[in-house]
Structures are given as C-alpha cells and as structure tokens.
Amino acid sequence: DTAVSQTPKYLVTQMGNDKSIKCEQNLGHDTMYWYKQDSKKFLKIMFSYNNKELIINETVPNRFSPKSPDKAHLNLHINSLELGDSAVYFCASSQGPGTGELFFGEGSRLTVL
Amino acid sequence: GQNIDQPTEMTATEGAIVQINCTYQTSGFNGLFWYQQHAGEAPTFLSYNVLDGLEEKGRFSSFLSRSKGYSYLLLKELQMKDSASYLCAVRGSGTYKYIFGTGTRLKVLA
C-alpha cells in the first residue's frame, strides 16, 4: 500500500495546454503539500492545505490552482502551461501543519514542449 | 530572509565516513530534518533534530547547533547504495513551511 500516491507519474504536453496532477494519502494525515523540484534539484514549497483549508500559498503564478476535496486528497491544476513549468512536482503530507516529518509521493515529471 | 546552504557535491569511498554540513539562516526555527533522495525517486526521511546535540540512528547520525545555525549528517560505513542526494530542511517557528536546502549529491566509490 503506497502511503502517498500521485498520478500521473509522467506528463508530456505542449505549451498552452492545461493539465492536472492528483495526489492521495492513506496515512490519515491532516496536512498536504505541493512542492516543485527544478532541474537543479531544489525543492520549493508551492501550496499547503490543512484539512481542506489553504494554509500556505507561496508566490506562484495564478495559472496554478490547488484543490483539496477532502483531507486525503490534494490536486494541482495548471493552466496555459509554459516551458518553465517543466519540473518534477511532489505531493507530500504530514500529521498536522508543520508537525512531524514529510512523507512524499513518487513525483510527477512534467515536460512542456 | 531564508537561506539554507549545503555543499553541492561530495565523493567518498565505500566503508568510509562522510559528514555533510548544512548551515541555515531562517526567520525562526522549529526543527531541522534530513532527507535522502535517490535519483528519480521521492525524498525519504532520515533524521530530525530540534534540540542541540547528536541524534543517532544506526549508520546515520545528525547533529544540531542552534546558536550557530549549523547541522551535519554523518554517514558511517558507507555503502554503494548511499549514493544519493541529501537534503537539509528547516521548519520555521510560527509557520507551517518546511524550507529545503539545495541538497548535496553524494557519490560513493568502490
């Protein structure tokens, strides 16, 4: 049983398209996160939700819209994709906001052509 | 501002000991984490320090000095499978954010 699972694992798409990445955790955690890892392997926080409520919203273009239908799910929708959006997107969860360690999903590698 | 620094790359020999340093300047501090990330995989949790001193977990130990804004991860009896990136992350106080350093890529040679 995968604790934090993301789909799809790979996405290849054209500039200007819209795409979504889904994340689910079965750890019973209250808090979920989206991180972006660029080509230099730097992990940067994008968003966090605690029990369906947005608690972190970093300086991210508003083409990125997270949605949390319940505390076990956090999705990321990206409109009008740009070349610079190419990266690996990691979903993570923690017991509570800033509580305990982060558990990461396997990542979704997005390539924008 | 927030700044977390680690060496970019290190190389060590199988069976040796290696120390990976991390220095941080963050607005508040509420814990420091080390993660291991193999190429193409997710980061996995290694250790956590919130008080000064050494935490030991098998072949891995992590040290923290809050007054110096400094931590290190010590890996003993290196194995080939330890070749990976090691990420230092700081959790700020009064914030839910875990801020990551740029990571150190460790190569273990036979």
mmCIF file of all heavy atoms in Angstrom, chain A residues 15-61:
data_model
loop_
_atom_site.group_PDB
_atom_site.id
_atom_site.type_symbol
_atom_site.label_atom_id
_atom_site.label_comp_id
_atom_site.label_asym_id
_atom_site.label_seq_id
_atom_site.Cartn_x
_atom_site.Cartn_y
_atom_site.Cartn_z
ATOM 1 N N MET A 15 3.039 23.533 -24.897
ATOM 2 C CA MET A 15 2.817 24.858 -24.295
ATOM 3 C C MET A 15 1.376 25.285 -24.540
ATOM 4 O O MET A 15 0.827 25.044 -25.627
ATOM 5 C CB MET A 15 3.734 25.890 -24.988
ATOM 6 C CG MET A 15 5.028 26.112 -24.288
ATOM 7 S SD MET A 15 5.859 27.623 -24.816
ATOM 8 C CE MET A 15 5.743 27.547 -26.563
ATOM 9 N N GLY A 16 0.801 25.919 -23.547
ATOM 10 C CA GLY A 16 -0.544 26.446 -23.691
ATOM 11 C C GLY A 16 -1.636 25.492 -23.237
ATOM 12 O O GLY A 16 -2.778 25.906 -23.027
ATOM 13 N N ASN A 17 -1.282 24.210 -23.088
ATOM 14 C CA ASN A 17 -2.284 23.236 -22.621
ATOM 15 C C ASN A 17 -2.544 23.373 -21.127
ATOM 16 O O ASN A 17 -1.799 24.036 -20.404
ATOM 17 C CB ASN A 17 -1.811 21.812 -22.930
ATOM 18 C CG ASN A 17 -1.979 21.456 -24.390
ATOM 19 O OD1 ASN A 17 -2.603 22.186 -25.153
ATOM 20 N ND2 ASN A 17 -1.410 20.330 -24.795
ATOM 21 N N ASP A 18 -3.621 22.703 -20.688
ATOM 22 C CA ASP A 18 -3.962 22.635 -19.265
ATOM 23 C C ASP A 18 -3.797 21.191 -18.806
ATOM 24 O O ASP A 18 -4.187 20.272 -19.531
ATOM 25 C CB ASP A 18 -5.424 23.044 -19.029
ATOM 26 C CG ASP A 18 -5.746 24.420 -19.559
ATOM 27 O OD1 ASP A 18 -4.808 25.222 -19.731
ATOM 28 O OD2 ASP A 18 -6.933 24.700 -19.798
ATOM 29 N N LYS A 19 -3.247 21.008 -17.611
ATOM 30 C CA LYS A 19 -3.066 19.644 -17.094
ATOM 31 C C LYS A 19 -3.331 19.602 -15.589
ATOM 32 O O LYS A 19 -3.209 20.622 -14.894
ATOM 33 C CB LYS A 19 -1.627 19.149 -17.335
ATOM 34 C CG LYS A 19 -1.318 18.825 -18.779
ATOM 35 C CD LYS A 19 -2.089 17.610 -19.245
ATOM 36 C CE LYS A 19 -1.861 17.365 -20.723
ATOM 37 N NZ LYS A 19 -2.775 16.338 -21.260
ATOM 38 N N SER A 20 -3.643 18.404 -15.097
ATOM 39 C CA SER A 20 -3.869 18.207 -13.664
ATOM 40 C C SER A 20 -3.038 17.047 -13.145
ATOM 41 O O SER A 20 -2.793 16.072 -13.860
ATOM 42 C CB SER A 20 -5.346 17.897 -13.390
ATOM 43 O OG SER A 20 -6.150 19.011 -13.641
ATOM 44 N N ILE A 21 -2.642 17.173 -11.891
ATOM 45 C CA ILE A 21 -1.958 16.089 -11.184
ATOM 46 C C ILE A 21 -2.775 15.806 -9.918
ATOM 47 O O ILE A 21 -3.202 16.746 -9.232
ATOM 48 C CB ILE A 21 -0.523 16.487 -10.764
ATOM 49 C CG1 ILE A 21 0.270 17.005 -11.968
ATOM 50 C CG2 ILE A 21 0.198 15.283 -10.154
ATOM 51 C CD1 ILE A 21 1.609 17.621 -11.584
ATOM 52 N N LYS A 22 -2.956 14.510 -9.642
ATOM 53 C CA LYS A 22 -3.758 14.138 -8.466
ATOM 54 C C LYS A 22 -2.869 13.511 -7.406
ATOM 55 O O LYS A 22 -1.872 12.853 -7.717
ATOM 56 C CB LYS A 22 -4.848 13.160 -8.863
ATOM 57 C CG LYS A 22 -5.866 13.747 -9.804
ATOM 58 C CD LYS A 22 -7.010 12.798 -10.066
ATOM 59 C CE LYS A 22 -8.064 13.485 -10.917
ATOM 60 N NZ LYS A 22 -9.217 12.624 -11.163
ATOM 61 N N CYS A 23 -3.241 13.713 -6.153
ATOM 62 C CA CYS A 23 -2.493 13.138 -5.034
ATOM 63 C C CYS A 23 -3.457 12.627 -3.980
ATOM 64 O O CYS A 23 -4.452 13.281 -3.666
ATOM 65 C CB CYS A 23 -1.560 14.186 -4.438
ATOM 66 S SG CYS A 23 -0.590 13.573 -3.038
ATOM 67 N N GLU A 24 -3.110 11.474 -3.435
ATOM 68 C CA GLU A 24 -3.918 10.877 -2.373
ATOM 69 C C GLU A 24 -2.994 10.319 -1.304
ATOM 70 O O GLU A 24 -1.955 9.738 -1.617
ATOM 71 C CB GLU A 24 -4.770 9.748 -2.961
ATOM 72 C CG GLU A 24 -5.577 8.973 -1.936
ATOM 73 C CD GLU A 24 -6.386 7.845 -2.543
ATOM 74 O OE1 GLU A 24 -6.289 7.612 -3.764
ATOM 75 O OE2 GLU A 24 -7.126 7.189 -1.789
ATOM 76 N N GLN A 25 -3.367 10.481 -0.041
ATOM 77 C CA GLN A 25 -2.583 9.866 1.042
ATOM 78 C C GLN A 25 -3.502 9.033 1.931
ATOM 79 O O GLN A 25 -4.644 9.426 2.197
ATOM 80 C CB GLN A 25 -1.826 10.936 1.855
ATOM 81 C CG GLN A 25 -2.648 12.062 2.428
ATOM 82 C CD GLN A 25 -3.107 11.875 3.860
ATOM 83 O OE1 GLN A 25 -2.775 10.894 4.518
ATOM 84 N NE2 GLN A 25 -3.882 12.822 4.362
ATOM 85 N N ASN A 26 -2.980 7.874 2.339
ATOM 86 C CA ASN A 26 -3.765 6.975 3.190
ATOM 87 C C ASN A 26 -3.170 6.861 4.591
ATOM 88 O O ASN A 26 -3.343 5.851 5.277
ATOM 89 C CB ASN A 26 -3.912 5.596 2.531
ATOM 90 C CG ASN A 26 -2.577 4.890 2.363
ATOM 91 O OD1 ASN A 26 -1.543 5.358 2.845
ATOM 92 N ND2 ASN A 26 -2.576 3.768 1.662
ATOM 93 N N LEU A 27 -2.457 7.917 5.012
ATOM 94 C CA LEU A 27 -1.806 7.918 6.322
ATOM 95 C C LEU A 27 -2.676 8.534 7.405
ATOM 96 O O LEU A 27 -2.272 8.567 8.574
ATOM 97 C CB LEU A 27 -0.487 8.707 6.231
ATOM 98 C CG LEU A 27 0.547 8.095 5.276
ATOM 99 C CD1 LEU A 27 1.668 9.087 5.001
ATOM 100 C CD2 LEU A 27 1.106 6.813 5.860
ATOM 101 N N GLY A 28 -3.827 9.075 7.022
ATOM 102 C CA GLY A 28 -4.677 9.746 7.997
ATOM 103 C C GLY A 28 -4.149 11.110 8.401
ATOM 104 O O GLY A 28 -4.551 11.657 9.435
ATOM 105 N N HIS A 29 -3.236 11.667 7.617
ATOM 106 C CA HIS A 29 -2.665 12.980 7.929
ATOM 107 C C HIS A 29 -3.663 14.093 7.640
ATOM 108 O O HIS A 29 -4.542 13.952 6.790
ATOM 109 C CB HIS A 29 -1.390 13.207 7.106
ATOM 110 C CG HIS A 29 -0.231 12.390 7.573
ATOM 111 N ND1 HIS A 29 0.948 12.286 6.849
ATOM 112 C CD2 HIS A 29 -0.051 11.645 8.691
ATOM 113 C CE1 HIS A 29 1.789 11.522 7.509
ATOM 114 N NE2 HIS A 29 1.207 11.109 8.624
ATOM 115 N N ASP A 30 -3.471 15.213 8.355
ATOM 116 C CA ASP A 30 -4.361 16.358 8.158
ATOM 117 C C ASP A 30 -3.845 17.330 7.104
ATOM 118 O O ASP A 30 -4.595 18.114 6.559
ATOM 119 C CB ASP A 30 -4.516 17.139 9.468
ATOM 120 C CG ASP A 30 -5.445 16.434 10.448
ATOM 121 O OD1 ASP A 30 -6.218 15.550 10.017
ATOM 122 O OD2 ASP A 30 -5.388 16.764 11.645
ATOM 123 N N THR A 31 -2.523 17.311 6.858
ATOM 124 C CA THR A 31 -1.905 18.359 6.056
ATOM 125 C C THR A 31 -1.225 17.794 4.819
ATOM 126 O O THR A 31 -0.528 16.784 4.891
ATOM 127 C CB THR A 31 -0.869 19.132 6.909
ATOM 128 O OG1 THR A 31 -1.465 19.480 8.155
ATOM 129 C CG2 THR A 31 -0.431 20.410 6.200
ATOM 130 N N MET A 32 -1.442 18.461 3.693
ATOM 131 C CA MET A 32 -0.821 18.046 2.434
ATOM 132 C C MET A 32 -0.166 19.237 1.759
ATOM 133 O O MET A 32 -0.558 20.384 1.990
ATOM 134 C CB MET A 32 -1.871 17.408 1.518
ATOM 135 C CG MET A 32 -2.447 16.116 2.100
ATOM 136 S SD MET A 32 -3.620 15.292 1.027
ATOM 137 C CE MET A 32 -2.529 14.597 -0.228
ATOM 138 N N TYR A 33 0.835 18.941 0.934
ATOM 139 C CA TYR A 33 1.667 19.983 0.328
ATOM 140 C C TYR A 33 1.926 19.661 -1.144
ATOM 141 O O TYR A 33 1.957 18.493 -1.543
ATOM 142 C CB TYR A 33 3.047 20.021 1.015
ATOM 143 C CG TYR A 33 3.039 20.129 2.518
ATOM 144 C CD1 TYR A 33 2.784 19.017 3.319
ATOM 145 C CD2 TYR A 33 3.323 21.335 3.159
ATOM 146 C CE1 TYR A 33 2.785 19.097 4.704
ATOM 147 C CE2 TYR A 33 3.340 21.428 4.548
ATOM 148 C CZ TYR A 33 3.072 20.311 5.314
ATOM 149 O OH TYR A 33 3.081 20.394 6.690
ATOM 150 N N TRP A 34 2.189 20.712 -1.911
ATOM 151 C CA TRP A 34 2.778 20.567 -3.236
ATOM 152 C C TRP A 34 4.136 21.260 -3.232
ATOM 153 O O TRP A 34 4.247 22.410 -2.825
ATOM 154 C CB TRP A 34 1.903 21.192 -4.334
ATOM 155 C CG TRP A 34 0.787 20.322 -4.778
ATOM 156 C CD1 TRP A 34 -0.545 20.537 -4.603
ATOM 157 C CD2 TRP A 34 0.885 19.081 -5.493
ATOM 158 N NE1 TRP A 34 -1.273 19.514 -5.141
ATOM 159 C CE2 TRP A 34 -0.421 18.597 -5.702
ATOM 160 C CE3 TRP A 34 1.965 18.317 -5.979
ATOM 161 C CZ2 TRP A 34 -0.700 17.406 -6.369
ATOM 162 C CZ3 TRP A 34 1.688 17.129 -6.635
ATOM 163 C CH2 TRP A 34 0.376 16.691 -6.832
ATOM 164 N N TYR A 35 5.149 20.513 -3.715
ATOM 165 C CA TYR A 35 6.493 21.047 -3.897
ATOM 166 C C TYR A 35 6.863 20.913 -5.365
ATOM 167 O O TYR A 35 6.464 19.954 -6.032
ATOM 168 C CB TYR A 35 7.516 20.262 -3.065
ATOM 169 C CG TYR A 35 7.620 20.679 -1.623
ATOM 170 C CD1 TYR A 35 6.750 20.158 -0.664
ATOM 171 C CD2 TYR A 35 8.594 21.582 -1.204
ATOM 172 C CE1 TYR A 35 6.851 20.538 0.659
ATOM 173 C CE2 TYR A 35 8.701 21.968 0.130
ATOM 174 C CZ TYR A 35 7.826 21.439 1.048
ATOM 175 O OH TYR A 35 7.928 21.811 2.366
ATOM 176 N N LYS A 36 7.680 21.863 -5.837
ATOM 177 C CA LYS A 36 8.206 21.799 -7.196
ATOM 178 C C LYS A 36 9.722 21.579 -7.098
ATOM 179 O O LYS A 36 10.407 22.290 -6.355
ATOM 180 C CB LYS A 36 7.931 23.112 -7.936
ATOM 181 C CG LYS A 36 8.474 23.166 -9.353
ATOM 182 C CD LYS A 36 8.164 24.507 -9.991
ATOM 183 C CE LYS A 36 8.717 24.586 -11.416
ATOM 184 N NZ LYS A 36 8.447 25.895 -12.061
ATOM 185 N N GLN A 37 10.234 20.589 -7.840
ATOM 186 C CA GLN A 37 11.684 20.345 -7.852
ATOM 187 C C GLN A 37 12.197 20.618 -9.262
ATOM 188 O O GLN A 37 11.826 19.925 -10.207
ATOM 189 C CB GLN A 37 12.028 18.912 -7.424
ATOM 190 C CG GLN A 37 13.528 18.707 -7.230
ATOM 191 C CD GLN A 37 13.858 17.381 -6.571
ATOM 192 O OE1 GLN A 37 13.356 16.338 -6.945
ATOM 193 N NE2 GLN A 37 14.721 17.433 -5.554
ATOM 194 N N ASP A 38 13.053 21.632 -9.373
ATOM 195 C CA ASP A 38 13.539 22.022 -10.694
ATOM 196 C C ASP A 38 14.736 21.167 -11.109
ATOM 197 O O ASP A 38 15.128 20.228 -10.415
ATOM 198 C CB ASP A 38 13.875 23.515 -10.702
ATOM 199 C CG ASP A 38 14.951 23.882 -9.689
ATOM 200 O OD1 ASP A 38 15.758 23.000 -9.309
ATOM 201 O OD2 ASP A 38 14.990 25.048 -9.269
ATOM 202 N N SER A 39 15.324 21.545 -12.235
ATOM 203 C CA SER A 39 16.415 20.739 -12.805
ATOM 204 C C SER A 39 17.649 20.717 -11.909
ATOM 205 O O SER A 39 18.477 19.817 -11.995
ATOM 206 C CB SER A 39 16.789 21.259 -14.189
ATOM 207 O OG SER A 39 17.117 22.626 -14.104
ATOM 208 N N LYS A 40 17.769 21.716 -11.024
ATOM 209 C CA LYS A 40 18.903 21.742 -10.084
ATOM 210 C C LYS A 40 18.570 21.022 -8.795
ATOM 211 O O LYS A 40 19.304 21.102 -7.817
ATOM 212 C CB LYS A 40 19.315 23.183 -9.793
ATOM 213 C CG LYS A 40 19.877 23.886 -11.008
ATOM 214 C CD LYS A 40 20.321 25.289 -10.681
ATOM 215 C CE LYS A 40 20.908 25.940 -11.926
ATOM 216 N NZ LYS A 40 21.260 27.340 -11.717
ATOM 217 N N LYS A 41 17.458 20.343 -8.773
ATOM 218 C CA LYS A 41 17.022 19.507 -7.645
ATOM 219 C C LYS A 41 16.591 20.313 -6.416
ATOM 220 O O LYS A 41 16.532 19.777 -5.316
ATOM 221 C CB LYS A 41 18.128 18.506 -7.225
ATOM 222 C CG LYS A 41 18.615 17.652 -8.364
ATOM 223 C CD LYS A 41 17.506 16.835 -8.940
ATOM 224 C CE LYS A 41 17.991 15.973 -10.090
ATOM 225 N NZ LYS A 41 16.895 15.398 -10.855
ATOM 226 N N PHE A 42 16.304 21.613 -6.622
ATOM 227 C CA PHE A 42 15.871 22.433 -5.497
ATOM 228 C C PHE A 42 14.360 22.235 -5.282
ATOM 229 O O PHE A 42 13.565 22.443 -6.195
ATOM 230 C CB PHE A 42 16.198 23.887 -5.789
ATOM 231 C CG PHE A 42 15.770 24.838 -4.719
ATOM 232 C CD1 PHE A 42 16.186 24.654 -3.398
ATOM 233 C CD2 PHE A 42 14.957 25.905 -4.998
ATOM 234 C CE1 PHE A 42 15.787 25.514 -2.398
ATOM 235 C CE2 PHE A 42 14.553 26.777 -4.004
ATOM 236 C CZ PHE A 42 14.964 26.591 -2.710
ATOM 237 N N LEU A 43 13.994 21.854 -4.050
ATOM 238 C CA LEU A 43 12.593 21.613 -3.700
ATOM 239 C C LEU A 43 11.985 22.881 -3.141
ATOM 240 O O LEU A 43 12.397 23.362 -2.087
ATOM 241 C CB LEU A 43 12.525 20.534 -2.606
ATOM 242 C CG LEU A 43 12.239 19.110 -3.001
ATOM 243 C CD1 LEU A 43 12.371 18.208 -1.792
ATOM 244 C CD2 LEU A 43 10.853 18.964 -3.606
ATOM 245 N N LYS A 44 10.953 23.389 -3.828
ATOM 246 C CA LYS A 44 10.368 24.659 -3.398
ATOM 247 C C LYS A 44 8.895 24.463 -3.071
ATOM 248 O O LYS A 44 8.145 23.894 -3.865
ATOM 249 C CB LYS A 44 10.524 25.684 -4.523
ATOM 250 C CG LYS A 44 10.093 27.091 -4.175
ATOM 251 C CD LYS A 44 10.505 28.050 -5.270
ATOM 252 C CE LYS A 44 9.784 29.376 -5.178
ATOM 253 N NZ LYS A 44 9.869 30.023 -3.869
ATOM 254 N N ILE A 45 8.482 24.945 -1.896
ATOM 255 C CA ILE A 45 7.080 24.820 -1.476
ATOM 256 C C ILE A 45 6.207 25.678 -2.382
ATOM 257 O O ILE A 45 6.572 26.801 -2.770
ATOM 258 C CB ILE A 45 6.901 25.234 0.007
ATOM 259 C CG1 ILE A 45 5.458 25.119 0.455
ATOM 260 C CG2 ILE A 45 7.415 26.643 0.265
ATOM 261 C CD1 ILE A 45 4.984 23.715 0.670
ATOM 262 N N MET A 46 5.042 25.123 -2.751
ATOM 263 C CA MET A 46 4.084 25.887 -3.546
ATOM 264 C C MET A 46 2.830 26.158 -2.711
ATOM 265 O O MET A 46 2.412 27.289 -2.534
ATOM 266 C CB MET A 46 3.696 25.097 -4.801
ATOM 267 C CG MET A 46 4.848 24.802 -5.739
ATOM 268 S SD MET A 46 4.355 23.720 -7.077
ATOM 269 C CE MET A 46 3.294 24.803 -8.031
ATOM 270 N N PHE A 47 2.207 25.094 -2.250
ATOM 271 C CA PHE A 47 0.938 25.209 -1.535
ATOM 272 C C PHE A 47 0.895 24.192 -0.391
ATOM 273 O O PHE A 47 1.564 23.174 -0.433
ATOM 274 C CB PHE A 47 -0.254 24.882 -2.457
ATOM 275 C CG PHE A 47 -0.373 25.743 -3.664
ATOM 276 C CD1 PHE A 47 0.003 25.257 -4.908
ATOM 277 C CD2 PHE A 47 -0.890 27.029 -3.573
ATOM 278 C CE1 PHE A 47 -0.115 26.046 -6.043
ATOM 279 C CE2 PHE A 47 -1.004 27.818 -4.696
ATOM 280 C CZ PHE A 47 -0.613 27.329 -5.939
ATOM 281 N N SER A 48 0.024 24.514 0.594
ATOM 282 C CA SER A 48 -0.283 23.517 1.611
ATOM 283 C C SER A 48 -1.733 23.672 2.042
ATOM 284 O O SER A 48 -2.247 24.801 2.128
ATOM 285 C CB SER A 48 0.636 23.655 2.816
ATOM 286 O OG SER A 48 0.272 22.710 3.802
ATOM 287 N N TYR A 49 -2.357 22.547 2.307
ATOM 288 C CA TYR A 49 -3.722 22.519 2.819
ATOM 289 C C TYR A 49 -3.731 21.756 4.131
ATOM 290 O O TYR A 49 -3.071 20.726 4.268
ATOM 291 C CB TYR A 49 -4.653 21.785 1.840
ATOM 292 C CG TYR A 49 -5.231 22.656 0.765
ATOM 293 C CD1 TYR A 49 -4.449 23.062 -0.309
ATOM 294 C CD2 TYR A 49 -6.547 23.071 0.812
ATOM 295 C CE1 TYR A 49 -4.974 23.857 -1.302
ATOM 296 C CE2 TYR A 49 -7.091 23.875 -0.182
ATOM 297 C CZ TYR A 49 -6.297 24.258 -1.231
ATOM 298 O OH TYR A 49 -6.819 25.058 -2.223
ATOM 299 N N ASN A 50 -4.505 22.271 5.087
ATOM 300 C CA ASN A 50 -4.742 21.539 6.320
ATOM 301 C C ASN A 50 -6.233 21.260 6.430
ATOM 302 O O ASN A 50 -7.031 22.197 6.513
ATOM 303 C CB ASN A 50 -4.270 22.336 7.535
ATOM 304 C CG ASN A 50 -4.473 21.550 8.813
ATOM 305 O OD1 ASN A 50 -3.933 20.453 8.974
ATOM 306 N ND2 ASN A 50 -5.251 22.094 9.738
ATOM 307 N N ASN A 51 -6.586 19.999 6.377
ATOM 308 C CA ASN A 51 -7.996 19.634 6.479
ATOM 309 C C ASN A 51 -8.871 20.442 5.523
ATOM 310 O O ASN A 51 -9.872 21.034 5.942
ATOM 311 C CB ASN A 51 -8.477 19.802 7.919
ATOM 312 C CG ASN A 51 -9.578 18.837 8.264
ATOM 313 O OD1 ASN A 51 -10.036 18.059 7.423
ATOM 314 N ND2 ASN A 51 -10.022 18.890 9.498
ATOM 315 N N LYS A 52 -8.468 20.480 4.287
ATOM 316 C CA LYS A 52 -9.178 21.122 3.169
ATOM 317 C C LYS A 52 -9.040 22.646 3.140
ATOM 318 O O LYS A 52 -9.582 23.291 2.260
ATOM 319 C CB LYS A 52 -10.662 20.750 3.141
ATOM 320 C CG LYS A 52 -10.947 19.277 3.047
ATOM 321 C CD LYS A 52 -12.409 19.006 2.753
ATOM 322 C CE LYS A 52 -13.297 19.432 3.886
ATOM 323 N NZ LYS A 52 -14.743 19.225 3.556
ATOM 324 N N GLU A 53 -8.321 23.222 4.097
ATOM 325 C CA GLU A 53 -8.182 24.678 4.119
ATOM 326 C C GLU A 53 -6.786 25.088 3.671
ATOM 327 O O GLU A 53 -5.787 24.559 4.168
ATOM 328 C CB GLU A 53 -8.439 25.191 5.536
ATOM 329 C CG GLU A 53 -8.378 26.701 5.650
ATOM 330 C CD GLU A 53 -8.482 27.147 7.101
ATOM 331 O OE1 GLU A 53 -8.981 26.360 7.933
ATOM 332 O OE2 GLU A 53 -8.034 28.266 7.399
ATOM 333 N N LEU A 54 -6.695 26.046 2.765
ATOM 334 C CA LEU A 54 -5.402 26.518 2.259
ATOM 335 C C LEU A 54 -4.656 27.264 3.360
ATOM 336 O O LEU A 54 -5.178 28.223 3.936
ATOM 337 C CB LEU A 54 -5.628 27.444 1.065
ATOM 338 C CG LEU A 54 -4.380 27.992 0.375
ATOM 339 C CD1 LEU A 54 -3.596 26.886 -0.310
ATOM 340 C CD2 LEU A 54 -4.771 29.077 -0.637
ATOM 341 N N ILE A 55 -3.422 26.831 3.679
ATOM 342 C CA ILE A 55 -2.657 27.489 4.731
ATOM 343 C C ILE A 55 -1.327 28.039 4.234
ATOM 344 O O ILE A 55 -0.720 28.866 4.901
ATOM 345 C CB ILE A 55 -2.395 26.557 5.945
ATOM 346 C CG1 ILE A 55 -1.674 25.258 5.517
ATOM 347 C CG2 ILE A 55 -3.687 26.246 6.667
ATOM 348 C CD1 ILE A 55 -1.215 24.400 6.692
ATOM 349 N N ILE A 56 -0.845 27.571 3.118
ATOM 350 C CA ILE A 56 0.364 28.128 2.515
ATOM 351 C C ILE A 56 0.067 28.362 1.040
ATOM 352 O O ILE A 56 -0.402 27.474 0.342
ATOM 353 C CB ILE A 56 1.586 27.191 2.636
ATOM 354 C CG1 ILE A 56 1.979 26.972 4.088
ATOM 355 C CG2 ILE A 56 2.788 27.757 1.856
ATOM 356 C CD1 ILE A 56 3.090 25.933 4.265
ATOM 357 N N ASN A 57 0.367 29.578 0.595
ATOM 358 C CA ASN A 57 0.205 29.898 -0.812
ATOM 359 C C ASN A 57 1.399 30.766 -1.181
ATOM 360 O O ASN A 57 1.392 31.963 -0.954
ATOM 361 C CB ASN A 57 -1.121 30.626 -1.035
ATOM 362 C CG ASN A 57 -1.406 30.857 -2.502
ATOM 363 O OD1 ASN A 57 -0.579 30.560 -3.358
ATOM 364 N ND2 ASN A 57 -2.572 31.367 -2.805
ATOM 365 N N GLU A 58 2.458 30.122 -1.675
ATOM 366 C CA GLU A 58 3.676 30.854 -1.993
ATOM 367 C C GLU A 58 3.458 31.684 -3.260
ATOM 368 O O GLU A 58 2.416 31.628 -3.896
ATOM 369 C CB GLU A 58 4.836 29.884 -2.203
ATOM 370 C CG GLU A 58 5.346 29.292 -0.917
ATOM 371 C CD GLU A 58 5.959 30.336 -0.007
ATOM 372 O OE1 GLU A 58 7.141 30.669 -0.187
ATOM 373 O OE2 GLU A 58 5.253 30.811 0.911
ATOM 374 N N THR A 59 4.483 32.444 -3.612
ATOM 375 C CA THR A 59 4.379 33.288 -4.799
ATOM 376 C C THR A 59 4.429 32.397 -6.028
ATOM 377 O O THR A 59 5.507 32.087 -6.547
ATOM 378 C CB THR A 59 5.535 34.307 -4.834
ATOM 379 O OG1 THR A 59 5.605 34.951 -3.581
ATOM 380 C CG2 THR A 59 5.310 35.316 -5.938
ATOM 381 N N VAL A 60 3.275 31.936 -6.420
ATOM 382 C CA VAL A 60 3.154 31.015 -7.542
ATOM 383 C C VAL A 60 2.202 31.676 -8.539
ATOM 384 O O VAL A 60 1.212 32.270 -8.129
ATOM 385 C CB VAL A 60 2.568 29.670 -7.051
ATOM 386 C CG1 VAL A 60 2.301 28.732 -8.202
ATOM 387 C CG2 VAL A 60 3.509 29.027 -6.043
ATOM 388 N N PRO A 61 2.503 31.602 -9.847
ATOM 389 C CA PRO A 61 1.571 32.201 -10.821
ATOM 390 C C PRO A 61 0.155 31.672 -10.627
ATOM 391 O O PRO A 61 -0.033 30.495 -10.285
ATOM 392 C CB PRO A 61 2.150 31.742 -12.166
ATOM 393 C CG PRO A 61 3.580 31.447 -11.918
ATOM 394 C CD PRO A 61 3.671 30.979 -10.498
#
